[in-house]
Amino acid sequence: MRSKIVAGNWKMNNNQDETESLLTDLKNNLPSTTAEVIVAPTFVNLAQATSAVKDSAIQVAAQNMHFAANGAFTGEISADMLLNIGIDTVIIGHSERRAYFGETDELLAKKVATALDNNMRIIFCFGEELEDRKSGNHFKVVASQLKNGLFSLPADAFKSIVLAYEPVWAIGTGETASPEQAQEMHAFIRETLSEAYSSDIAQEVSILYGGSVKPGNANEIFSKPDVDGGLIGGASLVADDFLAIVKAI
Ligand code: PEP
């Protein structure tokens, strides 16, 4: 079901003490909202984070997982390991996984399939590079990431998928897509989903925008009709900033 979501991707930040302190701040100051609020700490702090937010509306997600059920994959984490500590939401396809860890559309499609087989919810990230936008290929690139990563799934799968459009040139750069650019791409994503599946599916999927969302620009971006919230990196590490972004939704 389409819902408003603000999700914080903490990346490789926050040790156990910092995790405790940030979650305490968020929990104690969380505004009343109908939006879902999700944080994605690093693997080693997921269990701690789950128990820290137990009596609050904050949900906890993982930043990644492997597609295999288990086995000789040194350093990796399985769906079962996440579920076993109460984590049923996972970010898949973040641009840093794609760029620094060589995760391809094909690999991501396998991760998506595993997450769905395990009844997990997925925040699926995608978005074009700066050169794609400069050369006018951004729609083509996004359509191909969606097709390769998701479009062999049955329609039903989209009940468990949240999309996160994150133009790579706007991630961690301080440069945000304008609200108009975000809206234009989100509308295109819905149109692409509608053509591949149906307009019902297109209207039911939550599409988040990610890329240098801050308290100062969140309101305007979130006011666009096809933007259902944000995936927040840097600003999710500062309690006051993240809370201001939650308020903006
Ligand atoms: C992200 O990494 O998903 C992200 C959007 O980062 P930032 O908000 O820092 O641009």
Side-chain angles (χ1 to χ4, degrees), residues 7-15 19 22 39-46 61-64 91 94-97 100-101 125 166 168 170-173 210-212 214 231-237:
N9 173 16
W10 290 5
K11 311 190 185 187
M12 197 175 73
N13 293 293
N14 290 335
N15 63 23
T19 297
L22 181 50
V39 294
T42 185
F43 283 133
V44 291
N45 295 330
L46 285 175
Q63 298 174 16
N64 180 32
I91 298 173
H94 191 276
S95 65
E96 286 149 19
R97 299 297 317 171
Y100 306 145
F101 302 96
C125 304
E166 301 204 296
V168 177
I171 295 180
T173 59
S212 298
K214 307 281 178 220
L231 181 56
I232 320 297
S236 71
L237 300 173

Side-chain angles (χ1 to χ4, degrees), residues 27-93:
K27 221 168 71 167
N28 291 343
N29 298 293
L30 195 69
S32 145
T33 174
T34 53
E36 294 185 57
V37 179
I38 302 174
V39 294
T42 185
F43 283 133
V44 291
N45 295 330
L46 285 175
Q48 173 209 8
T50 318
S51 80
V53 300
K54 208 167 45 217
D55 301 319
S56 83
I58 301 171
Q59 302 169 46
V60 178
Q63 298 174 16
N64 180 32
M65 66 171 220
H66 199 272
F67 63 82
N70 51 39
F73 299 102
T74 301
E76 291 291 334
I77 306 284
S78 71
D80 176 61
M81 291 168 188
L82 294 175
L83 290 167
N84 195 240
I85 56 163
I87 305 291
D88 63 5
T89 301
V90 61
I91 298 173
I92 291 179

Side-chain angles (χ1 to χ4, degrees), residues 123-235:
I123 300 176
F124 185 80
C125 304
F126 55 95
E128 81 281 2
E129 310 259 350
L130 184 59
E131 308 83 73
D132 302 322
R133 186 156 278 265
K134 279 189 175 157
S135 60
N137 282 327
H138 44 299
F139 294 116
K140 217 161 93 188
V141 167
V142 161
S144 132
Q145 289 171 326
L146 288 172
K147 178 170 176 279
N148 297 335
L150 301 178
F151 286 0
S152 40
L153 296 170
D156 211 36
F158 284 87
K159 289 192 186 123
S160 308
I161 295 175
V162 170
L163 298 177
Y165 166 60
E166 301 204 296
V168 177
W169 49 272
I171 295 180
T173 59
E175 186 162 345
T176 322
S178 69
E180 291 69 32
Q181 284 173 317
Q183 168 56 29
E184 182 186 40
M185 184 57 90
H186 283 222
F188 171 77
I189 293 163
R190 276 193 218 288
E191 188 53 42
T192 306
L193 272 169
S194 184
E195 280 165 19
Y197 289 91
S198 68
S199 62
D200 283 358
I201 300 275
Q203 288 309 318
E204 279 302 298
V205 172
S206 299
I207 309 179
L208 313 185
Y209 168 78
S212 298
V213 176
K214 307 281 178 220
N217 59 22
N219 217 359
E220 225 194 322
I221 294 171
F222 294 164
S223 71
K224 294 296 175 192
D226 286 302
V227 177
D228 300 310
L231 181 56
I232 320 297

